[in-house]
């Protein structure tokens, strides 16, 4: 039996532009040649700093300009080993053991695990599965914390195509979020990992960073979700106020020039084509997944219908123990990430996340069918 | 005037195998293809872990086998972003603020800066510029620390082609080092960054890890010094006793598969040839540098004559203020790293390090001449 994995934040294997990257490698390795003998920190291509290969930072800026209509200053962009290293550097900058940070009640488990590793106290803010973080709840929680003398170090949010729910925060909520956090003088960490993957393009709200007049929001994004995770190429933007402080926590002497240069060479002429190709491959699967859920799961669950990203959040409305469901599903050869992983205090939830972008389209239906069979089996006993 | 930089730990630009890497990229990107869509942690090429691309770990093991005559187990090797990330992970594992660690009195400044960043108290052990760490001094310092109830977290040493002195520790001293640290139950961190770059090949002492019967020494090495630093590809070996603990401090989700796979593809058939090429290019420069020092600096200084590595350590025997010398040298367009940078407590030293491997051979003589002119100028005034 072929195993079907609805796990991880993976991308469609067939959109990996391997021929184009081979050509890019040929051109750029020849062009850079002996530049590789220098440390990234000691050469003009790296802008004499830990910020990384400048042409790749220019592509990050171009992507932002196109989407937001304002510039993302290249000098404030830093290339990292995936967006996860950006989260790591920001976390290490702000969090000392015992410090309080705020996230959405449900969020990326890598972030939660890392903040826990740093010894942070995490406060989760309620979210709406369609519109993301509930600003009233944030306001209330900030007021309570303030009244007991606790100042959170930052709020970490995933406003676009949220992981795990797929929610997208409306612009009006983003503006309120900015106003409230300014009032309490709390920085915002905006993780825009999935911001490129919009199925509906004309309704894109502006990013929090763009709406933040002082541009003090720290903005994290990645090339992983439009090309492939194994490249390990992400980036962040930080205001001067934070930039050097964040960089002082970086000890790896920069991101691989080899990987950065090949990807920059490919993307400089193909950014939009690659994004389109990626969106198309992912949307195809999203549609199949929604149809399959309708067909097999409508008696047992409800689920989100995201306009972008890699994830669908499924909530069971029947009495099924999640541990048992996971075990039963694995007997059927199908895997998914259980809800508790995404909860800021690992609360048991009758919910799970389906990550579908890397699953072959002709296996999605079978995968959902197996899950529904696992549910049925449990309900029978 | 062309600037001449004797700074950093850079490599000969002309040995960068760009054509071979282009060919390797073509073969391996085509071969791996959709593998890139998966996280390094989630695919067989990464051995389902944060350890990195297995074929590159196999090359690290092959290099060790050839040099040491014993196996370096592939399952205990972890690929990192340069050896610096290996130092970072090991440091984060062992050091909490206020902890004591031991290094050589002179050592790589990146390591010192990082240990200081972690809040470590650093104790330096005296070194001999030819034979490295002085074991009697280590023994005495360990005894003192023990008598006041302080247990150092580890000792960090650079036994081969030491940075900054070029010293190489004799095998008998290594054995004594192991015995003494075992007695006090202190782990050894062996940084073998420069272990490939031996000009005299038949006198190689065994690595500390090989001599350590229990194989509990943590061994760090790199592909940077045999190919190029901007690849950011290093590795470490750790015993089961430490391995998972070290990995628990890793949050970047692994090293770029793109960079790792291209380099592994090239090195699998060219490891020895690349090392030979590298040694030849570096030794050529070392010889010119030693001749030039003899010609221009013999009145003012003494220096080490290393049998390998990238560095020569110059000690002034005239009364010259190092700040003034650095300033004067920069007016002549020549740069080097001042001695205090390498000292565990940043002691002012009438010494500096010349890193020569990346300087064009026909500029080395001119560079040394400029330094001697700067010395003369200062002595005149």
């Amino acid at each position: 039996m072929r195993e079907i994995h609805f796990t991880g934040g993976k991308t469609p294997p067939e959109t990996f532009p391997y021929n184009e990257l081979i050509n890019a490698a040929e051109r750029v390795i020849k062009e850079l040649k002996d530049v590789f003998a220098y440390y990234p920190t000691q050469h003009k291509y790296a802008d004499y700093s830990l910020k990384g290969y400048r042409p790749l930072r220019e592509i990050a800026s171009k992507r932002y300009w196109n989407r937001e209509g304002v510039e993302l200053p290249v000098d404030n962009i830093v290339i990292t080993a995936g967006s996860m290293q950006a989260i790591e550097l920001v976390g290490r900058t702000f969090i000392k053991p015992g410090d309080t940070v705020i996230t959405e009640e449900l969020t990326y488990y890598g972030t939660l695990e890392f903040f826990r590793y740093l010894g942070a106290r995490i406060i989760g803010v309620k979210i709406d599965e369609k519109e993301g973080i509930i600003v009233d709840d944030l306001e209330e929680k900030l007021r309570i914390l303030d009244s007991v003398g606790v100042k959170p170090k930052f709020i970490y949010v995933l406003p676009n195509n949220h992981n795990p729910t797929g929610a997208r925060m409306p612009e009006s909520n983003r503006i309120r979020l900015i106003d409230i956090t300014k009032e309490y003088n709390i920085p915002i960490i905006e993780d825009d990992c999935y911001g490129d993957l919009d199925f509906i393009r004309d309704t894109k709200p502006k990013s929090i960073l763009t709406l933040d007049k002082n541009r003090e929001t720290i903005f994290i994004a990645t090339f992983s979700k439009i090309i492939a995770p194994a490249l390990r190429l992400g980036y962040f933007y930080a205001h001067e106020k934070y930039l050097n402080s964040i960089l002082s926590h970086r000890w790896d002497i920069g991101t691989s020039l080899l990987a950065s240069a090949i990807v920059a060479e490919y993307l400089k002429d193909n950014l939009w084509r690659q994004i389109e190709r990626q969106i198309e491959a992912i949307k195809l699967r999203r549609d199949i997944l929604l149809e399959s859920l309708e067909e097999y799961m409508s008696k047992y669950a409800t689920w989100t219908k995201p306009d972008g990203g890699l994830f669908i959040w499924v909530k069971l409305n029947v009495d099924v123990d999640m541990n048992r469901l996971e075990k039963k599903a694995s007997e059927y050869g199908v895997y998914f990430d259980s809800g508790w992983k995404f909860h800021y205090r690992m609360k048991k939830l009758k919910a799970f996340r389906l990550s579908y972008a890397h699953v072959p389209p002709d296996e999605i239906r079978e995968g959902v069918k197996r899950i529904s069979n696992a549910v049925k089996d449990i309900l029978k006993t």
Side-chain angles (χ1 to χ4, degrees), chain A residues 308-376:
Chain A
L310 306 173
F311 313 111
I312 283 179
W313 182 246
V314 181
K315 290 197 296 185
L316 293 164
N317 52 29
V318 288
D319 195 29
V320 166
D321 177 79
M322 280 304 296
N323 287 344
R324 279 188 71 198
L325 180 58
E326 265 194 282
K327 190 165 172 292
K328 184 55 82 180
S330 75
E331 288 166 19
Y332 280 110
V334 62
Y335 302 85
F336 47 76
D337 288 301
S338 260
W340 66 269
K341 279 186 161 188
F342 306 92
H343 193 269
Y344 76 105
R345 50 180 176 83
M346 294 183 274
K347 187 178 163 185
K348 275 185 157 190
L349 297 171
K350 278 200 197 345
F352 55 89
R353 186 191 77 173
L354 295 177
S355 173
Y356 55 88
H358 60 286
V359 183
D362 59 1
E363 294 182 9
I364 291 176
R365 199 169 167 275
E366 170 66 17
V368 176
K369 190 175 160 189
R370 290 183 192 175
I371 296 173
S372 79
N373 284 339
V375 173
K376 271 184 231 166

Side-chain angles (χ1 to χ4, degrees), chain A residues 69-197:
Chain A
V70 295
E71 252 183 273
L72 195 61
V74 175
D75 284 335
N76 295 62
I77 300 173
V78 177
I79 304 294
T80 51
S83 62
M84 191 65 217
Q85 194 192 22
I87 294 170
E88 180 185 359
L89 293 174
V90 170
R92 292 198 188 278
T93 306
F94 288 94
I95 302 173
K96 286 196 181 26
D99 281 346
T100 299
V101 299
I102 295 178
T103 70
E104 288 147 312
E105 191 171 55
L106 298 173
T107 190
Y108 169 47
Y109 52 73
T111 300
L112 290 172
E113 284 168 12
F114 179 63
F115 291 172
R116 283 180 201 128
Y117 159 87
L118 291 177
R121 297 167 209 255
I122 306 171
I123 308 274
V125 173
K126 287 194 173 44
I127 58 168
D128 175 280
E129 283 156 18
K130 206 164 169 55
E131 304 207 332
I133 197 165
I134 295 171
V135 190
D136 284 342
D137 190 54
L138 171 66
E139 193 163 19
E140 191 185 330
K141 282 175 177 155
L142 284 178
R143 203 181 301 123
I144 292 169
L145 290 170
D146 188 55
S147 72
V148 294
V150 171
K151 187 173 144 67
K153 294 293 167 173
F154 58 72
I155 174 166
Y156 168 89
V157 281
L158 284 157
N160 288 328
N161 309 321
H162 180 263
N163 180 7
T165 64
R168 188 187 288 177
M169 225 182 138
E171 208 160 291
S172 57
N173 288 7
R174 297 175 189 224
I175 292 168
R176 280 196 61 209
L177 172 76
I178 295 165
D179 290 345
I180 293 165
T181 53
K182 292 277 179 233
E183 191 186 325
Y184 290 92
N185 195 22
I186 294 165
I188 302 170
I189 317 296
E190 175 177 31
D191 187 346
D192 197 31
C193 231
Y194 312 102
D196 298 296
L197 308 176

Side-chain angles (χ1 to χ4, degrees), chain A residues 251-265:
Chain A
W251 289 96
D252 65 356
I253 327 188
T255 308
S256 174
L257 178 63
L258 189 58
S260 305
I262 293 172
V263 168
E265 176 70 15

Side-chain angles (χ1 to χ4, degrees), chain A residues 290-305:
Chain A
L290 287 175
E291 281 168 30
S292 309
L293 285 165
E294 199 56 52
E295 185 173 351
Y296 295 106
M297 291 292 288
S298 52
K299 280 210 300 206
Y300 315 116
T302 57
W303 51 87
T304 58
K305 295 171 185 64

